[in-house]
Amino acid sequence: DVPIPTPTSVPIPAPTGVPIPSPSPLPIPAPTVVPTLSPTSLFPTPLPSDVPTLSPTNDTWNFGTWIPSGIPSRFPSFSPSITVSPTISLTPTVSPTLSLSPTPMPTLEPTSDTFRCADVWDNLVDVELPWTFDNTQTKWAPVFVPRDLRFLNEHAHWEVGEMWTMETTVSSTCGNDLIFSFCSRRGFLKIVVPAYATNFTITVVDTIKFAPSYYYMRNRCQNAGSVTFSDVKLGFGSCNLDVGPTIYPTYLPSSIPTISLQPTLSPSHIPTYLPSSVPTSLPSSIPIPLPSSLPSSLPTSHPTPSPSSLPLPFPTLVPRSDPSSLPSAIPTLLPTPLPSMIPSMLPSSTPSSIPSALPSILPSPLPTQKPSFGPSPRPSISPTSDPTPVTPYPTATPTGYCPNDLLLLHPVMKVDHGVAWASSPTIMDDNSTVSREFGLLSGSVAPGAHSDFTVFLNDKLIGQHGSFTKTIPEMAGRVEIFAVKSKIYRDQRIVKVAYQLTDSAGRSTVRLGDEFDIQITLFYTGYTQLSYNGTSQTASCESLPNTTSGIGFCSMQTPIAWFSEDHDNEIYASISVLYNTIASVTSEKVVVTCKQLPTFDALIDGNMELVLPFHPLPPGATFDVIVNADTNKQALRTWQFTIEYNAAHLTYVSSTTSTNFTSTFSSHDSEGLLTVSNAGLSNDEASSQVNTGSSIYIATLTFQLNSDVSDMVLLGLFKLTTNSMENDDNIIFVSEKVGQVNDERGTGYTWGQMTVQSVSPVGIFSYAVVSELVNISPLNGIIETSSINTVLIYDESSHIDISGDVICNLYSLSDLEALSLNSCVASVSSLHFRGSSQVSVLVEYGDLSALVDMIVWYPQHVDINSSDFVLNPISENCSQYQTAQLSAYAYFNTGDSAVFKIGDVTDIVRFVSSNENSITINGTQLEAHEIGSSEVSISCYPEVFVSKTVVTVHVVSTPVSLESLSVIVYTNISWVEDDTLVGLEDSFVPQVQFQRELEGYGDVGHIVVYAEFDDGTWLDVTQEAAITLVHGFENILDLQEQDRTVRVIEESGTSWCRPAIYASYSPCNNSEPVSNYGFVKKRDSRAVSCLLTIDEPQIAREGDGATLQPFNITDLATLTVTVFYDDGSSKDFTHDDRAVLTIIEGDILASLTGNKLSVLPTAVIEPDLSWDVTIEVTFPGLYNLSDSVSTTVVEFEYLTLEATHSPSIIELGPILEVRQIACTGLYQRFEMSA
């Protein structure tokens, strides 16, 4: 009844020399969906096969190696079943078949340009194409960050489990293939960009594994290349119907035949193509290995010859409508109706669900394609109470097969110290390197803060914290300035300004360092023109600003030429911040007045002058007055002068004289009379050169203004009298002469005056201890605060903290929606409902004021996710259900909806269940109790201001099946990088690598056991599983069952990787246990040297005087032992019992307690004996190595005292007295030294 297609003029090829079997009258039987050649669970092979098995097991991991022939497989092997496969018939089929089975890999290359979904890329992704990614040297570097994908992450269908299509056209200058994907544990929508690709188009269909997510690169470029994304299309669903096989079955027939090793479920209802109109060539004498893609248009004119008694070596040209009665030599592309008598030569693509009848009697001729992922679902032989007499492990020699079981771990990376927010889940790459991206590094902490990280396995801390990172402050973007002194004088020409640096966001901690420079510039414009059109001078500031407040001072001396004797002059000052000699920001100019210069007469005819300060001084200030002399061309040798001063306002402090003179004497009384004289020259030979002139420096006298002096001009403060001036010939050439006084008025006055002016404030600077707050109070009720500190600057360059005396208010009342103030403490809490990129706080102190800018991040939305949405019993007749881990990611912003940062808030929120009879929540873990459903969300304070997702989790009665155990042994972790500097706006990806190698005696490996279920979930059963050592390892390893650790107890001298751990687990202890082996990897390294060190070169008896200051000799020394190996590694043996410490010299002086050396209380140090103690380390029975180190025992012996007096005199014997110096009334100084 089947219509025959219209005949064509194409002749039918002549029959081949091989007879074609007769067509069978039977219809094609319904195909089976389960291939036959696969391992079974009921009839495993009794012993390991000498030849590797033929067919692979259902393994989703590729360890990259085949198990070599002759070596037992890691798991029980299975031989192929005996099946019968039909030949391929020449009878034409009506239509190509339609495969509904999914293919194992996503489609990588499209066959047409048709993208049949709504492309959301342009509307939802904030990236302008073409876009070049050049950070290819950094593994896990983000390509499109969360802020680029913020709208995509908010899409209604961008949820876990939803199918999406991504079509990308890329070009690459990298010399190796690069892998890109959205972030999840294994990535999704993953593409591989070939090396040096040019406009290469890739289409991939996949389901979302994690949301929200971002797009990143999973490996590194081997050269400094880049990748350009010239076009990207992204659509919900399967968007290209012309794409080849995908991970999802098609639901419409394809227009071209499917070529697949998998059986079809039903014939296609679309006929085949029309027959060809072109004659075929002469028939080939060699059979065609594959069937023709098109059937013949007509049946043969007469029946085909009888079937051959021999199997055909290759399939026939076209398929027949019924199976052959004789077996084929190679497998058919169609399902077989009956078992074949000859094993198939190709492996099945999927495991069989029907067990084979008998184990194979023939060994497999080929190795398996890849190792099995897990053991058989059931043990080969029922467990017994007796030990296994024979085990295939360990083998006599290493097998060379060592799977990287570390990839099966489920680690979680968290912040240990500091503030950083995880913006993606923890991932592990193929090198066992764990990483996680962290951002929002400046939130609730000042720039420059440190953070470090830790790794957990099932809430157990692994190793030590590490990967220290420090945020780099932003460059200075603002500078506030005011003049400390608004007026400068002839004797006080230094312009001093106070400044405060902040970055562009208002943070007072800015970037400093080698590239940083801050400069002051003075402008002289003549009179009052603010615009610069005159002379300027620039100099670097003498110090850096405070790293917390950003406050600093800068000064520069003004040229005397910028002053005038006729009037005041105005100059201007500004501050510039430079990075790498390029100005980042420059302040406004401030005005400084150069006061008119006083004029003075020159000294003549021999006399002295008294120079007073020309600038005002505050009450209580200490100041100097200078005495100079005109020698009237004489060589001055001795002199004496008297100063009368106002003792009601002044107090004499001290005096110093010129170093050209010696033996100076002074006397003064409380009435304000001071006399100073000298006894001669310090250098007679140079007297004429240094003591002759019109302005010879004589002395400096120091006075202090009394603190009760009011602001005023003090008249009649000083008067100078020159009592005598004597030359080298002892001739007095000046006697009792009134000296000249130079003060702020100039010269020509007998009594000098000064101006008293109290210190006054000139400005305030304020700053927030933490300028950037993250408001988490809506999520957990915790209030975040930051104090605002204020510094008051005085006109004498002093400054004090006045934080408790100022008034703080919000500059804009609308900012009350984001932040509150209590006195000068800023806080964010659940009372607020938005963020802000700039909250300005006005700080006031009298008529002085300052502004402080702050940033507030607010959690506008929280995404909640669960690792499992259906919780099943973990086995039949078991009341224990699966558990699930909850996670929550918040979207923080500063009021601008276009700018947000993602942060993991899992550990700070409180998850709630709507049905606690069915599901309760323990921290972040869902625990099921009875069948039902529950909506899981978080508590917010209050609920109205934060949007959040709600996930529904179901508890069902259908149990899951325990497929396998994963047994992993790791030793430690090693952080990849430390002390990394990261920008405030950047993200940081710490990396840590799990290690598994046991290096020698005492090394410990930690055991982790996971139960893997058939729904893709896992359960940590490390504590519940039964763990034993494999027979043969009892003398090498020590298993600590309570700690779940294994310890090396014997140096084997070889490197090996073997399944030394055996674990089994039975859910609820009421079902057949599942077991597996755990591989232990031991690295052999030969010890080549050792080093013994001691931390102190000298040691003293406890309580001896040598242990006291200033000697500080220790009474306890510490020894350290290190062994070095030929692979460059080293190991600390200090506390290893196999390292033996012995005193080989000086054992009568000291003793050892462990690795501590101390002096014996009975030790006697003899002058003619050695005081050295030598210690040796050896390793009996382990290493033929030794080393020694020495230290010296010391004790306090005696103290020497010496006495001297000045001026000194020559006398014999000890100094018994101090004597008066001539008639001065003064005595010698007596000094002791030890």
Side-chain angles (χ1 to χ4, degrees):
D1 294 333
V2 178
I4 299 175
T6 303
T8 68
S9 59
V10 182
I12 300 173
T16 65
V18 181
I20 302 173
S22 301
S24 170
L26 299 177
I28 300 175
T32 175
V33 294
V34 181
T36 57
L37 190 58
S38 59
T40 70
S41 59
L42 297 181
F43 298 92
T45 55
L47 294 174
S49 172
D50 292 333
V51 181
T53 57
L54 171 64
S55 56
T57 60
N58 185 21
D59 187 2
T60 58
W61 291 83
N62 183 6
F63 292 103
T65 57
W66 286 8
I67 302 178
S69 176
I71 300 171
S73 170
R74 177 184 176 190
F75 305 107
S77 59
F78 301 97
S79 299
S81 306
I82 301 176
T83 61
V84 177
S85 57
T87 58
I88 300 177
S89 170
L90 287 176
T91 304
T93 59
V94 176
S95 62
T97 58
L98 170 68
S99 174
L100 291 180
S101 300
T103 59
M105 294 295 293
T107 302
L108 293 182
E109 297 187 13
T111 57
S112 76
D113 295 331
T114 305
F115 194 83
R116 301 183 182 179
C117 291
D119 179 18
V120 302
W121 182 270
D122 291 339
N123 294 329
L124 298 185
V125 179
D126 191 15
V127 175
E128 185 176 349
L129 299 176
W131 190 83
T132 299
F133 172 71
D134 54 13
N135 189 20
T136 55
Q137 299 292 303
T138 303
K139 190 174 185 178
W140 311 113
V143 181
F144 305 127
V145 296
R147 61 175 172 269
D148 300 330
L149 306 176
R150 56 191 178 278
F151 298 119
L152 176 63
N153 283 320
E154 295 174 358
H155 192 281
H157 292 289
W158 191 261
E159 299 290 343
V160 174
E162 297 281 13
M163 184 195 307
W164 284 71
T165 303
M166 184 174 182
E167 181 179 292
T168 311
T169 301
V170 292
S171 299
S172 173
T173 60
C174 287
N176 59 295
D177 295 353
L178 295 180
I179 305 172
F180 297 84
S181 76
F182 280 89
C183 175
S184 71
R185 179 172 174 83
R186 297 296 170 194
F188 62 95
L189 291 174
K190 185 188 300 183
I191 66 171
V192 179
V193 179
Y196 302 112
T198 302
N199 293 327
F200 185 75
T201 300
I202 312 167
T203 299
V204 59
V205 180
D206 203 353
T207 55
I208 296 176
K209 305 298 191 303
F210 182 82
S213 186
Y214 66 98
Y215 204 65
Y216 69 141
M217 184 177 68
R218 300 176 65 91
N219 58 341
R220 294 185 179 92
C221 179
Q222 296 175 355
N223 57 303
S226 63
V227 177
T228 299
F229 293 79
S230 56
D231 185 49
V232 181
K233 292 185 176 68
L234 190 64
F236 171 60
S238 182
C239 300
N240 195 329
L241 300 182
D242 294 332
V243 174
T246 70
I247 59 174
Y248 296 96
T250 57
Y251 297 98
L252 294 177
S254 171
S255 60
I256 58 175
T258 300
I259 300 175
S260 171
L261 292 179
Q262 300 190 26
T264 59
L265 293 180
S266 60
S268 170
H269 63 273
I270 301 178
T272 56
Y273 299 115
L274 294 177
S276 170
S277 60
V278 181
T280 58
S281 59
L282 292 176
S284 170
S285 60
I286 301 175
I288 299 175
L290 294 174
S292 168
S293 61
L294 296 178
S296 170
S297 61
L298 291 175
T300 58
S301 59
H302 53 81
T304 57
S306 300
S308 169
S309 60
L310 299 175
L312 295 178
F314 293 97
T316 54
L317 296 178
V318 293
R320 292 173 56 91
S321 60
D322 56 352
S324 169
S325 60
L326 293 179
S328 168
I330 64 172
T332 176
L333 298 180
L334 297 176
T336 62
L338 296 174
S340 171
M341 298 301 296
I342 300 177
S344 172
M345 298 295 292
L346 294 178
S348 168
S349 61
T350 57
S352 172
S353 63
I354 303 175
S356 60
L358 293 172
S360 172
I361 58 174
L362 296 176
S364 172
L366 297 175
T368 56
Q369 291 185 350
K370 53 183 178 178
S372 169
F373 178 65
S376 59
R378 296 180 178 85
S380 301
I381 303 173
S382 299
T384 69
S385 59
D386 299 326
T388 303
V390 178
T391 176
Y393 301 105
T395 55
T397 58
T399 66
Y401 173 61
C402 189
N404 188 3
D405 292 337
L406 296 176
L407 298 176
L408 305 177
L409 291 171
H410 299 281
V412 177
M413 186 181 294
K414 297 182 180 181
V415 176
D416 179 61
H417 173 75
V419 178
W421 298 80
S423 55
S424 67
T426 305
I427 59 177
M428 179 186 285
D429 68 8
D430 295 338
N431 296 319
S432 311
T433 300
V434 178
S435 62
R436 193 178 192 186
E437 183 183 42
F438 292 84
L440 195 51
L441 304 177
S442 58
S444 298
V445 67
H450 288 81
S451 296
D452 53 46
F453 304 87
T454 52
V455 173
F456 291 83
L457 283 175
N458 197 29
D459 295 330
K460 176 185 176 183
L461 177 65
I462 306 301
Q464 300 294 322
H465 59 80
S467 194
F468 299 93
T469 180
K470 180 180 180 181
T471 53
I472 307 173
E474 296 290 299
M475 294 192 298
R478 307 175 192 169
V479 54
E480 298 292 332
I481 181 178
F482 47 78
V484 173
K485 282 287 190 181
S486 60
K487 299 175 183 178
I488 56 177
Y489 300 83
R490 175 172 180 155
D491 62 336
Q492 194 184 54
R493 293 187 284 123
I494 295 178
V495 173
K496 193 165 190 176
V497 297
Y499 65 85
Q500 183 183 32
L501 303 182
T502 59
D503 63 17
S504 57
R507 306 180 190 96
S508 58
T509 299
V510 300
R511 186 180 306 175
L512 307 176
D514 294 339
E515 76 279 8
F516 174 86
D517 189 21
I518 185 165
Q519 297 178 347
I520 181 173
T521 301
L522 301 182
F523 304 89
Y524 172 62
T525 60
Y527 291 95
T528 59
Q529 296 297 319
L530 188 58
S531 60
Y532 167 64
N533 58 3
T535 304
S536 67
Q537 289 191 355
T538 299
S540 293
C541 298
E542 59 272 20
S543 61
L544 297 177
N546 182 274
T547 56
T548 302
S549 65
I551 299 172
F553 296 90
C554 198
S555 59
M556 183 179 181
Q557 182 164 290
T558 308
I560 192 65
W562 290 9
F563 288 79
S564 171
E565 295 180 351
D566 301 323
H567 49 71
D568 295 344
N569 281 340
E570 286 187 345
I571 63 174
Y572 304 92
S574 69
I575 290 290
S576 297
V577 179
L578 298 87
Y579 291 93
N580 293 319
T581 71
I582 299 174
S584 169
V585 61
T586 299
S587 72
E588 296 181 350
K589 296 182 179 70
V590 293
V591 180
V592 177
T593 301
C594 298
K595 295 300 291 182
Q596 179 181 344
L597 294 176
T599 58
F600 310 103
D601 297 333
L603 286 174
I604 57 174
D605 299 333
N607 200 358
M608 294 185 180
E609 67 179 3
L610 183 66
V611 182
L612 304 183
F614 307 141
H615 61 279
L617 292 171
T622 299
F623 62 95
D624 295 331
V625 297
I626 310 297
V627 177
N628 298 316
D630 170 48
T631 65
N632 197 20
K633 301 180 181 180
Q634 303 284 332
L636 182 62
R637 182 178 182 84
T638 62
W639 45 259
Q640 180 175 310
F641 64 83
T642 299
I643 292 180
E644 299 175 62
Y645 63 92
N646 190 335
H649 300 313
L650 300 173
T651 299
Y652 169 70
V653 177
S654 64
S655 62
T656 58
T657 58
S658 169
T659 56
N660 293 328
F661 304 98
T662 188
S663 300
T664 303
F665 310 99
S666 61
S667 65
H668 68 279
D669 58 30
S670 59
E671 300 300 323
L673 190 65
L674 172 65
T675 299
V676 182
S677 62
N678 78 312
L681 296 172
S682 60
N683 188 347
D684 289 338
E685 296 178 359
S687 62
S688 61
Q689 287 79 22
V690 300
N691 296 338
T692 303
S694 60
S695 184
I696 300 300
Y697 168 67
I698 300 297
T700 299
L701 310 175
T702 302
F703 292 87
Q704 183 178 21
L705 277 171
N706 295 338
S707 59
D708 58 356
V709 178
S710 302
D711 289 5
M712 65 176 67
V713 176
L714 295 178
L715 303 175
L717 279 184
F718 291 98
K719 180 181 179 181
L720 172 66
T721 301
T722 305
N723 301 121
S724 66
M725 296 175 67
E726 181 179 309
N727 63 18
D728 279 344
D729 298 326
N730 297 325
I731 299 174
I732 298 175
F733 60 92
V734 174
S735 177
E736 300 301 328
K737 190 174 184 178
V738 176
Q740 177 175 308
V741 177
N742 298 339
D743 61 18
E744 62 189 13
R745 298 166 296 177
T747 192
Y749 303 96
T750 303
W751 285 86
Q753 73 174 40
M754 291 174 53
T755 299
V756 178
Q757 180 178 309
S758 297
V759 173
S760 59
V762 294
I764 61 171
F765 289 128
S766 299
Y767 63 95
V769 175
V770 176
S771 299
E772 198 165 348
L773 294 176
V774 180
N775 191 351
I776 59 174
S777 187
L779 305 180
N780 60 6
I782 296 177
I783 299 174
E784 295 286 334
T785 63
S786 176
S787 299
I788 296 176
N789 295 343
T790 302
V791 174
L792 176 64
I793 310 296
Y794 289 99
D795 57 3
E796 283 297 323
S797 302
S798 61
H799 56 282
I800 61 172
D801 189 302
I802 57 168
S803 302
D805 301 322
V806 297
I807 299 174
C808 296
N809 289 295
L810 291 176
Y811 192 78
S812 172
L813 290 179
S814 63
D815 286 333
L816 282 171
E817 300 171 354
L819 181 142
S820 299
L821 288 172
N822 182 7
S823 295
C824 284
V825 176
S827 63
V828 291
S829 68
S830 57
L831 298 176
H832 307 107
F833 51 89
R834 68 171 176 87
S836 177
S837 59
Q838 184 180 29
V839 175
S840 295
V841 179
L842 177 64
V843 182
E844 296 177 295
Y845 180 73
D847 58 351
L848 302 176
S849 64
L851 281 177
V852 177
D853 288 337
M854 302 187 68
I855 300 170
V856 177
W857 293 91
Y858 187 83
Q860 289 213 335
H861 176 73
V862 178
D863 266 336
I864 301 167
N865 202 358
S866 174
S867 62
D868 196 2
F869 297 95
V870 178
L871 304 181
N872 309 75
I874 61 174
S875 71
E876 294 282 356
N877 303 318
C878 180
S879 61
Q880 181 181 350
Y881 290 87
Q882 293 174 297
T883 61
Q885 290 296 321
L886 294 170
S887 62
Y889 284 80
Y891 288 73
F892 295 96
N893 72 8
T894 57
D896 182 0
S897 59
V899 178
F900 69 89
K901 293 185 179 181
I902 299 176
D904 184 354
V905 294
T906 303
D907 292 334
I908 67 172
V909 299
R910 187 174 72 89
F911 293 96
V912 293
S913 169
S914 65
N915 181 6
E916 293 193 347
N917 292 327
S918 177
I919 293 176
T920 59
I921 300 173
N922 181 11
T924 61
Q925 181 172 280
L926 285 178
E927 297 177 350
H929 303 286
E930 62 180 40
I931 298 171
S933 298
S934 176
E935 290 185 345
V936 178
S937 186
I938 63 170
S939 294
C940 294
Y941 311 87
E943 298 284 345
V944 67
F945 296 142
V946 179
S947 66
K948 57 191 177 183
T949 58
V950 177
V951 297
T952 301
V953 181
H954 306 277
V955 181
V956 298
S957 60
T958 305
V960 289
S961 175
L962 176 58
E963 286 193 332
S964 63
L965 285 188
S966 296
V967 185
I968 308 104
V969 179
Y970 72 91
T971 56
N972 209 335
I973 57 174
S974 174
W975 291 95
V976 176
E977 295 179 359
D978 278 340
D979 297 328
T980 304
L981 298 178
V982 185
L984 292 178
E985 300 300 324
D986 297 334
S987 59
F988 176 62
V989 183
Q991 294 181 328
V992 63
Q993 190 168 40
F994 271 83
Q995 299 172 333
R996 61 182 301 196
E997 291 183 336
L998 297 169
E999 296 183 2
Y1001 179 88
D1003 277 2
V1004 174
H1006 303 270
I1007 303 170
V1008 178
V1009 183
Y1010 293 120
E1012 310 283 352
F1013 297 101
D1014 61 356
D1015 63 350
T1017 62
W1018 56 271
L1019 178 66
D1020 189 323
V1021 294
T1022 304
Q1023 298 302 321
E1024 295 82 359
I1027 301 176
T1028 59
L1029 286 175
V1030 172
H1031 178 66
F1033 287 94
E1034 296 87 348
N1035 297 326
I1036 302 175
L1037 302 173
D1038 176 39
L1039 176 65
Q1040 296 293 321
E1041 292 189 40
Q1042 183 175 358
D1043 297 335
R1044 289 330 203 206
T1045 59
V1046 62
R1047 180 173 176 263
V1048 178
I1049 58 174
E1050 180 181 272
E1051 295 287 351
S1052 64
T1054 58
S1055 297
W1056 48 266
C1057 180
R1058 298 173 187 168
I1061 306 297
Y1062 180 79
S1064 63
Y1065 171 70
S1066 173
C1068 292
N1069 295 317
N1070 64 359
S1071 60
E1072 194 171 2
V1074 175
S1075 61
N1076 198 1
Y1077 293 93
F1079 276 73
V1080 175
K1081 189 173 184 180
K1082 169 70 171 61
R1083 184 183 70 181
D1084 173 44
S1085 50
R1086 187 173 62 88
V1088 293
S1089 65
C1090 65
L1091 178 65
L1092 177 64
T1093 59
I1094 191 166
D1095 63 346
E1096 296 292 344
Q1098 295 177 319
I1099 185 172
R1101 184 187 296 107
E1102 182 180 5
D1104 189 84
T1107 62
L1108 306 177
Q1109 292 184 352
F1111 313 112
N1112 297 321
I1113 303 298
T1114 186
D1115 59 7
L1116 191 66
T1118 302
L1119 295 152
T1120 302
V1121 182
T1122 307
V1123 175
F1124 299 91
Y1125 298 89
D1126 56 0
D1127 61 357
S1129 64
S1130 63
K1131 184 176 179 180
D1132 186 357
F1133 268 73
T1134 302
H1135 302 288
D1136 194 310
D1137 295 339
R1138 297 173 300 167
V1140 178
L1141 296 172
T1142 307
I1143 298 177
I1144 60 175
E1145 180 184 353
D1147 55 349
I1148 63 173
L1149 298 176
S1151 64
L1152 275 170
T1153 303
N1155 68 321
K1156 304 294 184 180
L1157 180 72
S1158 59
V1159 179
L1160 292 169
T1162 58
V1164 177
I1165 301 177
E1166 299 292 344
D1168 55 344
L1169 298 180
S1170 173
W1171 298 353
D1172 291 337
V1173 176
T1174 302
I1175 306 97
E1176 182 184 53
V1177 62
T1178 57
F1179 306 87
L1182 181 64
Y1183 302 135
N1184 187 24
L1185 300 173
S1186 65
D1187 192 24
S1188 61
V1189 68
S1190 298
T1191 186
T1192 303
V1193 176
V1194 298
E1195 68 178 2
F1196 180 79
E1197 187 172 359
Y1198 60 85
L1199 179 71
T1200 300
L1201 294 177
E1202 293 182 357
T1204 59
H1205 54 273
S1206 178
S1208 62
I1209 59 175
I1210 299 176
E1211 59 182 39
L1212 299 176
I1215 300 172
L1216 302 178
E1217 61 182 15
V1218 291
R1219 303 175 183 177
Q1220 192 174 39
I1221 302 173
C1223 58
T1224 62
L1226 303 177
Y1227 286 84
Q1228 291 174 297
R1229 292 190 302 271
F1230 186 75
E1231 296 178 354
M1232 297 290 294
S1233 61

